[in-house]
Amino acid sequence: MTDYFHLNAAPDTVRAISSLGLAHLGGGGFEVMVRSWLCLRGKLTPGALHRSALDYVAAPRQAALLEKLLPVLRPEETQVFKRGRNANPHSHPRGATRREYQVATGLEALFGWLYLRGETGRLNELFEMMMEGED
């Protein structure tokens, strides 16, 4: 039985997934991390939790948070981020510029890639760096 919470996919399997596929998975993982982070802070009502989570998972906020990570990304992580950023989605949300959406897609692709590789420690490390100073 596959443990979908603790994956460690083979490198060939991970490489075979498109950048947008990685971003799809990484976006879900990022949202779970954000929701957990918000709940553990214990300051919000259910409605406020929802609004805050939406704010953090929106492309403009993800793009801004990513700036904290760029200097600490490993070369292979930078490659995955750039591959995701340079993917060619057919549209972008109204509330984000095309660049913000591309950067957010790169971040999500990186998170999906790390998750599939079983690198949850690194995921947590990067997430903590991103959320440092956020209230």
Side-chain angles (χ1 to χ4, degrees):
M1 179 168 72
T2 301
D3 180 355
Y4 290 100
F5 285 102
H6 303 96
L7 291 176
N8 190 2
D12 288 343
T13 301
V14 177
R15 264 192 300 278
I17 299 172
S18 72
S19 295
L20 294 177
L22 292 174
H24 176 74
L25 179 60
F30 183 75
E31 184 168 351
V32 168
M33 294 175 87
V34 165
R35 287 176 178 224
S36 298
W37 182 78
L38 289 169
C39 284
L40 290 172
R41 298 173 71 80
K43 298 178 183 175
L44 302 174
T45 64
L49 281 169
H50 178 70
R51 285 187 298 280
S52 292
L54 288 178
D55 179 50
Y56 277 105
V57 300
R61 187 67 167 267
Q62 285 182 339
L65 291 171
L66 175 82
E67 295 299 321
K68 298 177 182 181
L69 299 184
L70 288 176
V72 301
L73 291 181
R74 298 171 181 151
E76 196 174 14
E77 293 169 344
T78 300
Q79 280 183 322
V80 172
F81 162 72
K82 287 180 178 179
R83 198 176 110 206
R85 181 197 63 195
N86 295 337
N88 195 14
H90 296 293
S91 64
H92 66 281
R94 281 184 284 233
T97 66
R98 182 162 181 79
R99 183 189 176 287
E100 288 170 333
Y101 189 64
Q102 287 175 301
V103 170
T105 301
L107 171 69
E108 291 175 348
L110 173 62
F111 271 50
W113 181 78
L114 288 168
Y115 173 73
L116 283 171
R117 291 169 47 103
E119 295 187 38
T120 55
R122 182 65 172 159
L123 261 176
N124 284 314
E125 181 182 341
L126 294 176
F127 184 78
E128 286 289 328
M129 285 181 210
M130 289 173 62
M131 302 310 277
E132 188 173 311
E134 295 292 315
D135 284 324

